[in-house]
């Protein structure tokens, strides 16, 4: 008995989608979700569908090896960067890509000692997670191995970047405080640590400006460190407090709430606190902190996708991909009563 040839319509009928969607998935075009794309590929393989260009592309991906490089500090931040790493690992596993992990200590960073794996001629691409140093990252880029930065960028670094839309997300957080009736709002962060923190500071200023609200320099802390003694010292030097504070990460939000509690200031009855990242500290804080959540698994998936695209398109202009973030209201903020 002659076997029926498997075509796109066969795949479409099997998983109950349109033939056009199958075509978009198999040819790598936009218009279908990643979940649908994966389902189409899985079904095509099960049915024995042969599509030369797609099969060639998948075989190329499965023979690739990429390196994930980050500082020892970044790898230690398991609640944030750890989730991104796991998403990268999962994406590589599903695509049949070999993933090599390399941490960079301070000595290697300062002496610009690159991981030996980059000299092996077997690495097809590099994912650089968070900040190491501008000089070190540029040294990696000088190897001419395609590279993607994750959660970091800098004007002196010319590479594709996967980033949080910090300005829009920070703006939404501060605007939420304004909508609750707060007009005296402070900022707590360190603009020198990360471009993300500076962008969130810019978001704070923009939201305050758009609402025609004054910014009191006494309530703007731009050199904060995650140390409760440093925070309490800064608080003790203030003559008065705002009715709300926007913190650039959950660690500072957690310490601020703890410090205010020790001063007998209740959150949110006396002061509202909003932070950023939706990490564990925002959830175990008392009260739980209103924060901005980032879809960390998307970071990993988009980073791998962009790296594979960059490997195939080495001469295309560099791009910054901004990922959305969403505000999560919790008990650390409240509506002001007139």
């Amino acid at each position: 008995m002659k076997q029926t040839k498997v075509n796109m319509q066969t795949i479409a009928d099997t998983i109950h989608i349109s033939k056009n969607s199958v075509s978009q998935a198999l040819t790598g075009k936009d218009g279908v979700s990643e979940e649908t794309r994966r389902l189409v590929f899985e079904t095509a393989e099960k049915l024995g569908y042969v599509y030369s260009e797609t099969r060639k592309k998948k075989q190329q991906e499965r023979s690739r090896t990429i390196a994930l490089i980050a500082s020892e500090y970044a790898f230690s931040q398991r609640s944030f960067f750890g989730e991104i790493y796991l998403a990268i690992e999962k994406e590589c596993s599903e695509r049949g890509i070999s993933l090599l992990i390399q941490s960079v200590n301070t000595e290697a960073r300062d002496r610009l000692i690159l991981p030996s794996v980059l000299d092996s001629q077997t690495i097809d691409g590099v994912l650089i997670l968070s900040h190491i140093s501008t000089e070190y990252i540029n040294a990696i880029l000088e190897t001419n191995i395609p590279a993607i930065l994750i959660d970091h960028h800098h004007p002196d670094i010319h590479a594709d970047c996967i980033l949080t839309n910090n300005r829009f997300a920070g703006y939404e957080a501060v605007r939420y405080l304004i909508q609750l009736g707060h007009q005296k709002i402070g900022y707590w962060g360190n603009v020198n640590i990360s471009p993300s923190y500076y962008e969130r500071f810019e978001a704070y200023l923009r939201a305050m400006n758009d609402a025609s609200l004054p910014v009191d320099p006494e309530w703007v802390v731009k050199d904060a460190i995650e140390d409760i003694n440093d925070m309490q010292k800064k608080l003790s030097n203030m003559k008065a407090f705002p009715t709300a504070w926007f913190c650039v990460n959950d660690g500072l939000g957690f310490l601020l709430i703890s410090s205010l509690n020790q001063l007998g200031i209740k959150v949110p009855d006396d002061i509202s606190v909003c932070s950023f990242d939706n990490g564990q500290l925002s959830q175990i804080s008392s009260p739980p902190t209103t924060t901005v959540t980032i879809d960390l698994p998307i970071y990993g998936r988009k980073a791998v996708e962009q790296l594979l695209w960059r490997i195939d398109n080495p001469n295309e202009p560099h791009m910054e991909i901004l990922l959305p973030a969403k505000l999560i209201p919790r008990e650390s903020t409240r509506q002001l009563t007139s």
Side-chain angles (χ1 to χ4, degrees):
M1 183 175 180
K2 186 177 180 180
Q3 186 174 6
T4 303
K5 182 179 179 180
V6 176
N7 54 31
M8 290 188 185
Q9 190 61 57
T10 309
I11 300 171
D13 293 341
T14 302
I15 57 179
H16 307 293
I17 63 174
S18 69
K19 180 181 177 181
N20 182 58
S21 294
V22 172
S23 175
Q24 289 174 317
L26 291 176
T27 55
K29 295 179 180 178
D30 295 333
V32 294
S33 67
E34 285 303 313
E35 291 76 12
T36 299
R37 195 183 306 279
R38 290 172 185 167
L39 178 60
V40 168
F41 275 117
E42 291 172 0
T43 305
E45 288 185 351
K46 289 178 182 178
L47 296 177
Y49 174 75
V50 178
Y51 185 73
S52 58
E53 292 182 11
T54 301
R55 187 171 295 276
K56 180 180 179 181
K57 183 177 180 180
K58 286 176 68 65
Q59 288 174 342
Q60 288 175 338
E61 286 187 4
R62 289 186 179 279
S63 66
R64 284 170 174 160
T65 299
I66 66 176
L68 174 63
I69 299 175
S71 67
E72 291 181 339
Y73 173 78
F75 277 129
S76 72
Q77 304 300 300
R78 297 182 180 181
S79 65
F80 187 86
F81 294 121
E83 287 193 47
I84 298 177
Y85 158 68
L86 291 175
I88 292 171
E89 187 178 51
K90 180 175 182 291
E91 187 69 19
C92 287
S93 176
E94 291 178 353
R95 291 176 179 266
I97 298 170
S98 298
L99 178 65
L100 302 178
I101 310 298
Q102 181 67 56
S103 65
V104 178
N105 60 32
T106 54
E107 180 184 4
R109 180 199 64 195
D110 295 341
R111 295 176 58 191
L112 299 183
I113 302 173
L114 300 186
S116 58
V117 69
L118 299 184
D119 296 326
S120 66
Q121 305 298 317
T122 61
I123 298 298
D124 297 290
V126 179
L127 297 174
I128 303 171
L129 181 59
S130 189
H131 183 51
I132 303 175
S133 77
T134 299
E135 294 76 16
Y136 194 90
I137 292 173
N138 278 329
I140 294 175
L141 298 179
E142 287 173 3
T143 66
N144 292 321
I145 300 174
I148 306 295
L149 274 62
I150 305 172
D151 195 41
H152 182 68
H153 64 156
H154 189 279
D156 291 333
I157 299 175
H158 303 293
D160 295 345
C161 308
I162 311 295
L163 307 163
T164 300
N165 196 336
N166 290 292
R167 292 183 178 91
F168 282 17
Y171 184 94
E172 181 183 359
V174 178
R175 183 173 62 180
Y176 175 72
L177 295 173
I178 295 170
Q179 290 171 341
L180 290 177
H182 296 280
Q183 297 185 1
K184 299 177 180 179
I185 303 172
Y187 166 91
W188 209 287
N190 191 322
V191 297
N192 297 314
I193 288 181
S194 164
S196 296
Y197 293 168
Y198 191 84
E199 290 160 10
R200 293 169 195 177
F201 175 60
E202 291 179 321
Y204 160 77
L205 294 178
R206 178 64 182 270
M208 295 293 283
N209 180 74
D210 286 358
S212 299
L213 295 177
V215 173
D216 190 326
E218 186 178 28
W219 301 332
V220 176
V221 181
K222 296 191 293 183
D223 61 346
I225 60 176
E226 291 187 37
D227 177 85
I228 195 164
N229 293 322
D230 177 77
M231 181 168 288
Q232 289 177 344
K233 180 180 179 180
K234 286 180 167 61
L235 288 171
S236 66
N237 290 331
M238 295 182 185
K239 298 176 182 178
F241 294 152
T243 62
W245 252 304
F246 169 57
C247 302
V248 296
N249 64 25
D250 292 329
L252 288 172
F254 180 87
L255 291 176
L256 181 57
I257 291 175
S258 299
S259 297
L260 292 173
N261 284 337
Q262 291 182 25
L263 292 173
I265 299 171
K266 296 182 179 180
V267 176
D269 293 348
D270 301 320
I271 295 178
S272 290
V273 175
C274 177
S275 60
F276 208 108
D277 290 339
N278 191 32
Q280 185 179 13
L281 288 176
S282 72
Q283 300 168 42
I284 66 173
S285 177
S286 181
T289 315
T290 293
T291 188
V292 176
T293 187
I294 302 169
D295 194 333
L296 298 179
I298 288 184
Y299 254 110
R301 191 171 79 239
K302 288 297 182 183
V304 174
E305 288 176 359
Q306 185 64 18
L307 181 57
L308 294 174
W309 181 87
R310 174 54 62 189
I311 292 171
D312 293 333
N313 300 272
N315 298 319
E316 290 294 319
H318 294 127
M319 289 186 268
E320 290 190 348
I321 298 176
L322 297 180
L323 304 180
K326 183 180 179 181
L327 183 75
I328 300 181
R330 293 196 180 114
E331 288 84 355
S332 68
T333 51
R334 74 175 183 90
Q335 179 79 44
L336 283 188
T337 56
S338 56

